[in-house]
Every structure is written in structure tokens, then in C-alpha cells.
Amino acid sequence: MDRLLDASRTSDDIGEVSLRPQVLTEYIGQKDLKDNLTVFIGAALKRNETLDHVLLYGPPGLGKTTLAYIIANEMHGEITVVNGPAIEKTGDLASILTKLKPGDILFIDEIHRLPRVVEEVLYSAMEDFMLSIVVQRDAGAKTINVPIPPFTLVGATTRAGDLSSPLRARFGIMEKLNFYTIDEIKDIVNRTARVFQTTIDEEACTEIAKRSRGTPRIANRLFRRVRDFANFRGEDHITSDDAIAALNALKVDSLGLDDVDIKYLNTVIERFKGGPVGLESLAAAIGEESMNLEDVYEPYLLQLGLIDRTPRGRIATPLAYKHLKKDHQGSLF
Ligand code: ADE
């Protein structure tokens, strides 16, 4: 059973847990989502009901797990955290569901990767709080219905489109997380600095924010490394020199692009003459999984306007040539 629980956290993640805001009012950014959740949670509490099931979707690192913990806290429920692909059998899900108490939150991360048989058991659990399991008996198959406590499922996915329609239809609340603005990331970095009892220059904070791809998880990771540079000097105050030294050492460029992003853009421009190139060919040329490119790398490149998706494939935009200082033959200018 324990293997199903999220035991994959590292020491850096432990920092991440303590960094997490506990209540919605402390959560920075995602204003529309926050406004909606405030009403839905407030109303459910007033009616003394469980909150409707919530689907959170959007690129990785934007705070879906953090929101699940906040929802549990605000609803005064306990949270059980599991990863979709780790629930292999219907029995695994049954054992999780029967341990829940009324009003608890079940957070399923990567819910689009739940095995189909498990997903089908989830339907009646979500809809009627009923566990319907088919058991094989000597005399044939028999369905057992077991009531389970009313609970709220919070599902998270980077690919809402990959969810089957019956599963999607069972979420009463669906909210998309968007990339954060630079100002919002600056607020998050300043908050993180306070949690770590460190001070940080405005310029250093801006530098981290500009290179964080609008993603708090990346901002917090960069913050830790920048802080290492200050601590290594024997200081608890972070200057812009620390920020620039750390960010250069980490090879994060002025837009926050890393080695894979740069390789992506260079490959489209040089090998495929600017595109259009199909995702699979591109993934093979770069040596990355196509799903990883689509979920992790492309959303931000699209947001920056460095690439475009066309019906015939991906293309590099003039902005990409400008950022890489390349002409249309792919040579440096
Ligand atoms: N840490 C990570 N994401 C955050 C957010 N949106 N607000 C405050 N702290 C955060």
C-alpha cells in the first residue's frame, strides 16, 4: 500500500513542502482560479457539504499540488496523495478509497495516466460514492457494491485533452493554471526568501523571475542555487552578482531557456530549415520523448512566441531566429 503513496520526494522537495502556502489568500497569482475556488469552497463549507470534484490542469510546476493541499486545508479534510500510474489495479484504488474519511481529499496526480480499468472504478466512486468491484467466483463474475465516505477527488494533469470524456464529465470544477507574470514570480521569490530567512536585492529577484519560465517550481529551484552562491560567500543577503553568477553557472539564458529548449530551436532552424516539422521527427532528432517536449518544453516556447504549431508541424518564428542570433540559413549573425 505504501508504495502507492508519494514516497519519491527528495530533500529539495522537503523544502518545497515547507514553502507551500497553506491557504488561498497566501497563494500568489492565478487570480481567476483563486476567485472561483474561494466561492466554491466557501459555499460548500456553508452548506456543510463536501466540495465537488476538482480537475486542475496546465503545464508542470505551476502549483497544482500546492492547490490540492490548500483545498484540503480549507475544507478541513485530510489529504491522500497518489500518482495515477502507481495505481495499477482496481484493488489498489479500492484500498485507498475505503481508507478515506468523510470530507477527505484524494489527490491523484497525473490522472491522465490512470489505467483504464482503474478509471472505470473511479466513475461510480465519484458519482455515487460507491465502490463497484467485479469479483470472480466459482459460479462466475459478481459485482460487489460497497459504499465509501463522501470525498473530494482533486485530479491534476498536464494534458486535459488526454482525459477520457466520462472521467472529465465527472468533475464539477475544472480550472486551468497559466504561466505566472514576472511580477507574480517576483512576489513568490520574495516570499521564498522570507521563508528561508534570507534577504534579496530587487535586481536579483527580477533576474531570477525573468529566467523562471513563469513557473514557481523553477523560480524556487533557481532561488536555492542563487542562495548557495551568497551562502558560499558567507552571506545571508543575495545580491544581483550572486544571481547572475548562479544563473550563468546553471546555463539558464536571459529568457530562462535551458539546453533542451536551445537544442529544440536550433534543430528546427538548422536541421529542418525552420520547419514545419512533425513532433515525432523533431523528438527523434533531439533525443527527447515527444510527450516531454509537448508537455514541458513547448508550452513556454509557444507562450514566448518562439515557435508556432501549424497543421503541418512546428515552425520557428522570427523571434526565435532573433533570440538565437541566427539568420535564415541558420548561421550566426
Ligand atoms: N509557491 C509555489 N507556488 C506558489 C504560489 N502560487 N503562491 C505562493 N507560493 C508559491
Side-chain angles (χ1 to χ4, degrees), residues 16 19-21 26-30 61-63 66 180 188 191-192 216-217 220:
E16 195 69 48
L19 283 179
R20 284 203 178 114
E26 266 181 46
Y27 189 92
I28 294 159
Q30 311 294 344
L62 298 191
T66 303
Y180 293 71
I188 290 172
R191 181 178 178 279
T192 301
R217 183 186 291 156
N220 284 332

mmCIF file with all atom_site columns, all heavy atoms in Angstrom, residues 16 19-21 26-30 61-63 66 180 188 191-192 216-217 220, ligand 1:
data_model
loop_
_atom_site.group_PDB
_atom_site.id
_atom_site.type_symbol
_atom_site.label_atom_id
_atom_site.label_alt_id
_atom_site.label_comp_id
_atom_site.label_asym_id
_atom_site.label_entity_id
_atom_site.label_seq_id
_atom_site.pdbx_PDB_ins_code
_atom_site.Cartn_x
_atom_site.Cartn_y
_atom_site.Cartn_z
_atom_site.occupancy
_atom_site.B_iso_or_equiv
_atom_site.pdbx_formal_charge
_atom_site.auth_seq_id
_atom_site.auth_comp_id
_atom_site.auth_asym_id
_atom_site.auth_atom_id
_atom_site.pdbx_PDB_model_num
ATOM   1   N N   . GLU A 1 16  ? 10.373 22.293 -0.622  1.00 0.00 ? 16  GLU A N   1
ATOM   2   C CA  . GLU A 1 16  ? 9.207  22.691 -1.413  1.00 0.00 ? 16  GLU A CA  1
ATOM   3   C C   . GLU A 1 16  ? 7.936  22.615 -0.564  1.00 0.00 ? 16  GLU A C   1
ATOM   4   O O   . GLU A 1 16  ? 7.083  23.488 -0.630  1.00 0.00 ? 16  GLU A O   1
ATOM   5   C CB  . GLU A 1 16  ? 9.094  21.749 -2.618  1.00 0.00 ? 16  GLU A CB  1
ATOM   6   C CG  . GLU A 1 16  ? 8.175  22.210 -3.727  1.00 0.00 ? 16  GLU A CG  1
ATOM   7   C CD  . GLU A 1 16  ? 8.711  23.418 -4.465  1.00 0.00 ? 16  GLU A CD  1
ATOM   8   O OE1 . GLU A 1 16  ? 9.888  23.438 -4.849  1.00 0.00 ? 16  GLU A OE1 1
ATOM   9   O OE2 . GLU A 1 16  ? 7.929  24.362 -4.626  1.00 0.00 ? 16  GLU A OE2 1
ATOM   10  N N   . LEU A 1 19  ? 7.662  25.428 1.751   1.00 0.00 ? 19  LEU A N   1
ATOM   11  C CA  . LEU A 1 19  ? 7.440  26.678 1.023   1.00 0.00 ? 19  LEU A CA  1
ATOM   12  C C   . LEU A 1 19  ? 5.987  26.860 0.639   1.00 0.00 ? 19  LEU A C   1
ATOM   13  O O   . LEU A 1 19  ? 5.568  27.950 0.288   1.00 0.00 ? 19  LEU A O   1
ATOM   14  C CB  . LEU A 1 19  ? 8.252  26.673 -0.285  1.00 0.00 ? 19  LEU A CB  1
ATOM   15  C CG  . LEU A 1 19  ? 9.738  26.935 -0.206  1.00 0.00 ? 19  LEU A CG  1
ATOM   16  C CD1 . LEU A 1 19  ? 10.342 26.863 -1.600  1.00 0.00 ? 19  LEU A CD1 1
ATOM   17  C CD2 . LEU A 1 19  ? 9.994  28.292 0.394   1.00 0.00 ? 19  LEU A CD2 1
ATOM   18  N N   . ARG A 1 20  ? 5.242  25.785 0.680   1.00 0.00 ? 20  ARG A N   1
ATOM   19  C CA  . ARG A 1 20  ? 3.874  25.847 0.165   1.00 0.00 ? 20  ARG A CA  1
ATOM   20  C C   . ARG A 1 20  ? 2.980  26.731 1.013   1.00 0.00 ? 20  ARG A C   1
ATOM   21  O O   . ARG A 1 20  ? 2.902  26.551 2.221   1.00 0.00 ? 20  ARG A O   1
ATOM   22  C CB  . ARG A 1 20  ? 3.258  24.441 0.164   1.00 0.00 ? 20  ARG A CB  1
ATOM   23  C CG  . ARG A 1 20  ? 3.752  23.597 -0.936  1.00 0.00 ? 20  ARG A CG  1
ATOM   24  C CD  . ARG A 1 20  ? 2.770  22.490 -1.263  1.00 0.00 ? 20  ARG A CD  1
ATOM   25  N NE  . ARG A 1 20  ? 3.322  21.767 -2.371  1.00 0.00 ? 20  ARG A NE  1
ATOM   26  C CZ  . ARG A 1 20  ? 3.730  20.505 -2.314  1.00 0.00 ? 20  ARG A CZ  1
ATOM   27  N NH1 . ARG A 1 20  ? 3.565  19.822 -1.205  1.00 0.00 ? 20  ARG A NH1 1
ATOM   28  N NH2 . ARG A 1 20  ? 4.258  19.941 -3.363  1.00 0.00 ? 20  ARG A NH2 1
ATOM   29  N N   . PRO A 1 21  ? 2.266  27.655 0.369   1.00 0.00 ? 21  PRO A N   1
ATOM   30  C CA  . PRO A 1 21  ? 1.271  28.405 1.135   1.00 0.00 ? 21  PRO A CA  1
ATOM   31  C C   . PRO A 1 21  ? 0.168  27.461 1.609   1.00 0.00 ? 21  PRO A C   1
ATOM   32  O O   . PRO A 1 21  ? -0.130 26.479 0.947   1.00 0.00 ? 21  PRO A O   1
ATOM   33  C CB  . PRO A 1 21  ? 0.729  29.423 0.120   1.00 0.00 ? 21  PRO A CB  1
ATOM   34  C CG  . PRO A 1 21  ? 1.108  28.912 -1.218  1.00 0.00 ? 21  PRO A CG  1
ATOM   35  C CD  . PRO A 1 21  ? 2.308  28.038 -1.041  1.00 0.00 ? 21  PRO A CD  1
ATOM   36  N N   . GLU A 1 26  ? -2.889 33.228 0.733   1.00 0.00 ? 26  GLU A N   1
ATOM   37  C CA  . GLU A 1 26  ? -1.420 33.314 0.666   1.00 0.00 ? 26  GLU A CA  1
ATOM   38  C C   . GLU A 1 26  ? -0.896 32.911 -0.704  1.00 0.00 ? 26  GLU A C   1
ATOM   39  O O   . GLU A 1 26  ? 0.286  33.065 -1.007  1.00 0.00 ? 26  GLU A O   1
ATOM   40  C CB  . GLU A 1 26  ? -0.807 32.327 1.674   1.00 0.00 ? 26  GLU A CB  1
ATOM   41  C CG  . GLU A 1 26  ? -0.465 32.897 3.015   1.00 0.00 ? 26  GLU A CG  1
ATOM   42  C CD  . GLU A 1 26  ? 0.153  31.808 3.870   1.00 0.00 ? 26  GLU A CD  1
ATOM   43  O OE1 . GLU A 1 26  ? 1.040  31.082 3.384   1.00 0.00 ? 26  GLU A OE1 1
ATOM   44  O OE2 . GLU A 1 26  ? -0.288 31.667 5.019   1.00 0.00 ? 26  GLU A OE2 1
ATOM   45  N N   . TYR A 1 27  ? -1.761 32.307 -1.502  1.00 0.00 ? 27  TYR A N   1
ATOM   46  C CA  . TYR A 1 27  ? -1.346 31.778 -2.814  1.00 0.00 ? 27  TYR A CA  1
ATOM   47  C C   . TYR A 1 27  ? -1.260 32.942 -3.789  1.00 0.00 ? 27  TYR A C   1
ATOM   48  O O   . TYR A 1 27  ? -2.207 33.704 -3.956  1.00 0.00 ? 27  TYR A O   1
ATOM   49  C CB  . TYR A 1 27  ? -2.383 30.744 -3.265  1.00 0.00 ? 27  TYR A CB  1
ATOM   50  C CG  . TYR A 1 27  ? -2.006 29.950 -4.497  1.00 0.00 ? 27  TYR A CG  1
ATOM   51  C CD1 . TYR A 1 27  ? -1.340 28.733 -4.390  1.00 0.00 ? 27  TYR A CD1 1
ATOM   52  C CD2 . TYR A 1 27  ? -2.355 30.401 -5.769  1.00 0.00 ? 27  TYR A CD2 1
ATOM   53  C CE1 . TYR A 1 27  ? -1.018 27.984 -5.507  1.00 0.00 ? 27  TYR A CE1 1
ATOM   54  C CE2 . TYR A 1 27  ? -2.038 29.662 -6.898  1.00 0.00 ? 27  TYR A CE2 1
ATOM   55  C CZ  . TYR A 1 27  ? -1.372 28.458 -6.770  1.00 0.00 ? 27  TYR A CZ  1
ATOM   56  O OH  . TYR A 1 27  ? -1.064 27.726 -7.879  1.00 0.00 ? 27  TYR A OH  1
ATOM   57  N N   . ILE A 1 28  ? -0.118 33.082 -4.408  1.00 0.00 ? 28  ILE A N   1
ATOM   58  C CA  . ILE A 1 28  ? 0.128  34.227 -5.300  1.00 0.00 ? 28  ILE A CA  1
ATOM   59  C C   . ILE A 1 28  ? -0.278 33.875 -6.738  1.00 0.00 ? 28  ILE A C   1
ATOM   60  O O   . ILE A 1 28  ? -0.017 32.756 -7.206  1.00 0.00 ? 28  ILE A O   1
ATOM   61  C CB  . ILE A 1 28  ? 1.623  34.620 -5.218  1.00 0.00 ? 28  ILE A CB  1
ATOM   62  C CG1 . ILE A 1 28  ? 1.947  35.145 -3.809  1.00 0.00 ? 28  ILE A CG1 1
ATOM   63  C CG2 . ILE A 1 28  ? 1.991  35.645 -6.294  1.00 0.00 ? 28  ILE A CG2 1
ATOM   64  C CD1 . ILE A 1 28  ? 3.413  35.084 -3.428  1.00 0.00 ? 28  ILE A CD1 1
ATOM   65  N N   . GLY A 1 29  ? -0.916 34.824 -7.430  1.00 0.00 ? 29  GLY A N   1
ATOM   66  C CA  . GLY A 1 29  ? -1.253 34.647 -8.857  1.00 0.00 ? 29  GLY A CA  1
ATOM   67  C C   . GLY A 1 29  ? -2.480 33.790 -9.101  1.00 0.00 ? 29  GLY A C   1
ATOM   68  O O   . GLY A 1 29  ? -3.240 33.506 -8.175  1.00 0.00 ? 29  GLY A O   1
ATOM   69  N N   . GLN A 1 30  ? -2.706 33.377 -10.361 1.00 0.00 ? 30  GLN A N   1
ATOM   70  C CA  . GLN A 1 30  ? -3.866 32.556 -10.780 1.00 0.00 ? 30  GLN A CA  1
ATOM   71  C C   . GLN A 1 30  ? -5.161 33.178 -10.239 1.00 0.00 ? 30  GLN A C   1
ATOM   72  O O   . GLN A 1 30  ? -5.997 32.478 -9.656  1.00 0.00 ? 30  GLN A O   1
ATOM   73  C CB  . GLN A 1 30  ? -3.726 31.098 -10.304 1.00 0.00 ? 30  GLN A CB  1
ATOM   74  C CG  . GLN A 1 30  ? -2.399 30.431 -10.580 1.00 0.00 ? 30  GLN A CG  1
ATOM   75  C CD  . GLN A 1 30  ? -2.113 30.213 -12.062 1.00 0.00 ? 30  GLN A CD  1
ATOM   76  O OE1 . GLN A 1 30  ? -3.000 30.293 -12.893 1.00 0.00 ? 30  GLN A OE1 1
ATOM   77  N NE2 . GLN A 1 30  ? -0.869 29.961 -12.410 1.00 0.00 ? 30  GLN A NE2 1
ATOM   78  N N   . GLY A 1 61  ? 4.687  22.304 -12.654 1.00 0.00 ? 61  GLY A N   1
ATOM   79  C CA  . GLY A 1 61  ? 5.404  23.272 -11.812 1.00 0.00 ? 61  GLY A CA  1
ATOM   80  C C   . GLY A 1 61  ? 4.650  24.536 -11.481 1.00 0.00 ? 61  GLY A C   1
ATOM   81  O O   . GLY A 1 61  ? 5.175  25.451 -10.854 1.00 0.00 ? 61  GLY A O   1
ATOM   82  N N   . LEU A 1 62  ? 3.357  24.616 -11.907 1.00 0.00 ? 62  LEU A N   1
ATOM   83  C CA  . LEU A 1 62  ? 2.623  25.866 -11.688 1.00 0.00 ? 62  LEU A CA  1
ATOM   84  C C   . LEU A 1 62  ? 1.845  25.876 -10.365 1.00 0.00 ? 62  LEU A C   1
ATOM   85  O O   . LEU A 1 62  ? 1.247  26.883 -10.013 1.00 0.00 ? 62  LEU A O   1
ATOM   86  C CB  . LEU A 1 62  ? 1.663  26.155 -12.850 1.00 0.00 ? 62  LEU A CB  1
ATOM   87  C CG  . LEU A 1 62  ? 2.299  26.348 -14.231 1.00 0.00 ? 62  LEU A CG  1
ATOM   88  C CD1 . LEU A 1 62  ? 1.282  26.879 -15.220 1.00 0.00 ? 62  LEU A CD1 1
ATOM   89  C CD2 . LEU A 1 62  ? 3.486  27.307 -14.170 1.00 0.00 ? 62  LEU A CD2 1
ATOM   90  N N   . GLY A 1 63  ? 1.822  24.748 -9.655  1.00 0.00 ? 63  GLY A N   1
ATOM   91  C CA  . GLY A 1 63  ? 1.202  24.789 -8.315  1.00 0.00 ? 63  GLY A CA  1
ATOM   92  C C   . GLY A 1 63  ? -0.058 23.952 -8.159  1.00 0.00 ? 63  GLY A C   1
ATOM   93  O O   . GLY A 1 63  ? -0.876 24.241 -7.296  1.00 0.00 ? 63  GLY A O   1
ATOM   94  N N   . THR A 1 66  ? 0.230  22.117 -4.814  1.00 0.00 ? 66  THR A N   1
ATOM   95  C CA  . THR A 1 66  ? 0.071  23.119 -3.756  1.00 0.00 ? 66  THR A CA  1
ATOM   96  C C   . THR A 1 66  ? -1.404 23.443 -3.559  1.00 0.00 ? 66  THR A C   1
ATOM   97  O O   . THR A 1 66  ? -1.895 23.513 -2.431  1.00 0.00 ? 66  THR A O   1
ATOM   98  C CB  . THR A 1 66  ? 0.849  24.407 -4.141  1.00 0.00 ? 66  THR A CB  1
ATOM   99  O OG1 . THR A 1 66  ? 2.206  24.050 -4.347  1.00 0.00 ? 66  THR A OG1 1
ATOM   100 C CG2 . THR A 1 66  ? 0.748  25.470 -3.079  1.00 0.00 ? 66  THR A CG2 1
ATOM   101 N N   . TYR A 1 180 ? 2.837  32.248 -14.778 1.00 0.00 ? 180 TYR A N   1
ATOM   102 C CA  . TYR A 1 180 ? 2.784  33.438 -13.924 1.00 0.00 ? 180 TYR A CA  1
ATOM   103 C C   . TYR A 1 180 ? 3.481  34.604 -14.613 1.00 0.00 ? 180 TYR A C   1
ATOM   104 O O   . TYR A 1 180 ? 4.378  34.402 -15.434 1.00 0.00 ? 180 TYR A O   1
ATOM   105 C CB  . TYR A 1 180 ? 3.482  33.153 -12.591 1.00 0.00 ? 180 TYR A CB  1
ATOM   106 C CG  . TYR A 1 180 ? 2.766  32.142 -11.717 1.00 0.00 ? 180 TYR A CG  1
ATOM   107 C CD1 . TYR A 1 180 ? 2.729  30.793 -12.052 1.00 0.00 ? 180 TYR A CD1 1
ATOM   108 C CD2 . TYR A 1 180 ? 2.116  32.527 -10.553 1.00 0.00 ? 180 TYR A CD2 1
ATOM   109 C CE1 . TYR A 1 180 ? 2.070  29.864 -11.257 1.00 0.00 ? 180 TYR A CE1 1
ATOM   110 C CE2 . TYR A 1 180 ? 1.448  31.605 -9.748  1.00 0.00 ? 180 TYR A CE2 1
ATOM   111 C CZ  . TYR A 1 180 ? 1.430  30.283 -10.109 1.00 0.00 ? 180 TYR A CZ  1
ATOM   112 O OH  . TYR A 1 180 ? 0.777  29.368 -9.325  1.00 0.00 ? 180 TYR A OH  1
ATOM   113 N N   . ILE A 1 188 ? 6.592  35.623 -5.452  1.00 0.00 ? 188 ILE A N   1
ATOM   114 C CA  . ILE A 1 188 ? 6.838  34.265 -4.935  1.00 0.00 ? 188 ILE A CA  1
ATOM   115 C C   . ILE A 1 188 ? 8.281  34.135 -4.440  1.00 0.00 ? 188 ILE A C   1
ATOM   116 O O   . ILE A 1 188 ? 8.542  33.592 -3.368  1.00 0.00 ? 188 ILE A O   1
ATOM   117 C CB  . ILE A 1 188 ? 6.503  33.212 -6.024  1.00 0.00 ? 188 ILE A CB  1
ATOM   118 C CG1 . ILE A 1 188 ? 4.984  33.180 -6.242  1.00 0.00 ? 188 ILE A CG1 1
ATOM   119 C CG2 . ILE A 1 188 ? 7.027  31.820 -5.638  1.00 0.00 ? 188 ILE A CG2 1
ATOM   120 C CD1 . ILE A 1 188 ? 4.522  32.323 -7.412  1.00 0.00 ? 188 ILE A CD1 1
ATOM   121 N N   . ARG A 1 191 ? 8.690  35.890 -1.198  1.00 0.00 ? 191 ARG A N   1
ATOM   122 C CA  . ARG A 1 191 ? 8.070  35.095 -0.136  1.00 0.00 ? 191 ARG A CA  1
ATOM   123 C C   . ARG A 1 191 ? 8.999  33.939 0.251   1.00 0.00 ? 191 ARG A C   1
ATOM   124 O O   . ARG A 1 191 ? 9.224  33.672 1.432   1.00 0.00 ? 191 ARG A O   1
ATOM   125 C CB  . ARG A 1 191 ? 6.715  34.560 -0.631  1.00 0.00 ? 191 ARG A CB  1
ATOM   126 C CG  . ARG A 1 191 ? 5.977  33.746 0.396   1.00 0.00 ? 191 ARG A CG  1
ATOM   127 C CD  . ARG A 1 191 ? 4.620  33.271 -0.125  1.00 0.00 ? 191 ARG A CD  1
ATOM   128 N NE  . ARG A 1 191 ? 3.982  32.450 0.889   1.00 0.00 ? 191 ARG A NE  1
ATOM   129 C CZ  . ARG A 1 191 ? 4.266  31.175 1.091   1.00 0.00 ? 191 ARG A CZ  1
ATOM   130 N NH1 . ARG A 1 191 ? 5.171  30.574 0.337   1.00 0.00 ? 191 ARG A NH1 1
ATOM   131 N NH2 . ARG A 1 191 ? 3.661  30.502 2.046   1.00 0.00 ? 191 ARG A NH2 1
ATOM   132 N N   . THR A 1 192 ? 9.577  33.296 -0.760  1.00 0.00 ? 192 THR A N   1
ATOM   133 C CA  . THR A 1 192 ? 10.507 32.185 -0.503  1.00 0.00 ? 192 THR A CA  1
ATOM   134 C C   . THR A 1 192 ? 11.710 32.683 0.293   1.00 0.00 ? 192 THR A C   1
ATOM   135 O O   . THR A 1 192 ? 12.152 32.026 1.241   1.00 0.00 ? 192 THR A O   1
ATOM   136 C CB  . THR A 1 192 ? 10.965 31.572 -1.844  1.00 0.00 ? 192 THR A CB  1
ATOM   137 O OG1 . THR A 1 192 ? 9.804  31.115 -2.540  1.00 0.00 ? 192 THR A OG1 1
ATOM   138 C CG2 . THR A 1 192 ? 11.911 30.402 -1.638  1.00 0.00 ? 192 THR A CG2 1
ATOM   139 N N   . PRO A 1 216 ? 6.680  28.776 -10.784 1.00 0.00 ? 216 PRO A N   1
ATOM   140 C CA  . PRO A 1 216 ? 7.173  28.863 -9.408  1.00 0.00 ? 216 PRO A CA  1
ATOM   141 C C   . PRO A 1 216 ? 8.168  27.770 -9.045  1.00 0.00 ? 216 PRO A C   1
ATOM   142 O O   . PRO A 1 216 ? 9.152  28.038 -8.355  1.00 0.00 ? 216 PRO A O   1
ATOM   143 C CB  . PRO A 1 216 ? 5.910  28.726 -8.552  1.00 0.00 ? 216 PRO A CB  1
ATOM   144 C CG  . PRO A 1 216 ? 4.812  29.205 -9.426  1.00 0.00 ? 216 PRO A CG  1
ATOM   145 C CD  . PRO A 1 216 ? 5.207  28.833 -10.821 1.00 0.00 ? 216 PRO A CD  1
ATOM   146 N N   . ARG A 1 217 ? 7.948  26.544 -9.508  1.00 0.00 ? 217 ARG A N   1
ATOM   147 C CA  . ARG A 1 217 ? 8.879  25.467 -9.129  1.00 0.00 ? 217 ARG A CA  1
ATOM   148 C C   . ARG A 1 217 ? 10.286 25.796 -9.614  1.00 0.00 ? 217 ARG A C   1
ATOM   149 O O   . ARG A 1 217 ? 11.275 25.568 -8.916  1.00 0.00 ? 217 ARG A O   1
ATOM   150 C CB  . ARG A 1 217 ? 8.422  24.133 -9.710  1.00 0.00 ? 217 ARG A CB  1
ATOM   151 C CG  . ARG A 1 217 ? 9.331  22.976 -9.285  1.00 0.00 ? 217 ARG A CG  1
ATOM   152 C CD  . ARG A 1 217 ? 8.960  21.689 -9.983  1.00 0.00 ? 217 ARG A CD  1
ATOM   153 N NE  . ARG A 1 217 ? 7.695  21.175 -9.527  1.00 0.00 ? 217 ARG A NE  1
ATOM   154 C CZ  . ARG A 1 217 ? 6.916  20.363 -10.243 1.00 0.00 ? 217 ARG A CZ  1
ATOM   155 N NH1 . ARG A 1 217 ? 7.282  19.989 -11.446 1.00 0.00 ? 217 ARG A NH1 1
ATOM   156 N NH2 . ARG A 1 217 ? 5.767  19.939 -9.761  1.00 0.00 ? 217 ARG A NH2 1
ATOM   157 N N   . ASN A 1 220 ? 11.727 28.744 -7.519  1.00 0.00 ? 220 ASN A N   1
ATOM   158 C CA  . ASN A 1 220 ? 12.200 28.306 -6.202  1.00 0.00 ? 220 ASN A CA  1
ATOM   159 C C   . ASN A 1 220 ? 13.495 27.499 -6.306  1.00 0.00 ? 220 ASN A C   1
ATOM   160 O O   . ASN A 1 220 ? 14.361 27.602 -5.447  1.00 0.00 ? 220 ASN A O   1
ATOM   161 C CB  . ASN A 1 220 ? 11.106 27.510 -5.479  1.00 0.00 ? 220 ASN A CB  1
ATOM   162 C CG  . ASN A 1 220 ? 10.021 28.432 -4.937  1.00 0.00 ? 220 ASN A CG  1
ATOM   163 O OD1 . ASN A 1 220 ? 10.275 29.592 -4.629  1.00 0.00 ? 220 ASN A OD1 1
ATOM   164 N ND2 . ASN A 1 220 ? 8.806  27.929 -4.826  1.00 0.00 ? 220 ASN A ND2 1
HETATM 165 N N1  . ADE B 2 .   ? 4.937  28.594 -4.092  1.00 0.00 ? 1   ADE B N1  1
HETATM 166 C C1  . ADE B 2 .   ? 4.729  27.940 -5.226  1.00 0.00 ? 1   ADE B C1  1
HETATM 167 N N2  . ADE B 2 .   ? 3.684  28.461 -5.887  1.00 0.00 ? 1   ADE B N2  1
HETATM 168 C C2  . ADE B 2 .   ? 3.226  29.478 -5.153  1.00 0.00 ? 1   ADE B C2  1
HETATM 169 C C3  . ADE B 2 .   ? 2.179  30.398 -5.330  1.00 0.00 ? 1   ADE B C3  1
HETATM 170 N N3  . ADE B 2 .   ? 1.410  30.403 -6.394  1.00 0.00 ? 1   ADE B N3  1
HETATM 171 N N4  . ADE B 2 .   ? 1.983  31.299 -4.371  1.00 0.00 ? 1   ADE B N4  1
HETATM 172 C C4  . ADE B 2 .   ? 2.787  31.315 -3.282  1.00 0.00 ? 1   ADE B C4  1
HETATM 173 N N5  . ADE B 2 .   ? 3.786  30.479 -3.086  1.00 0.00 ? 1   ADE B N5  1
HETATM 174 C C5  . ADE B 2 .   ? 4.015  29.575 -4.004  1.00 0.00 ? 1   ADE B C5  1
#
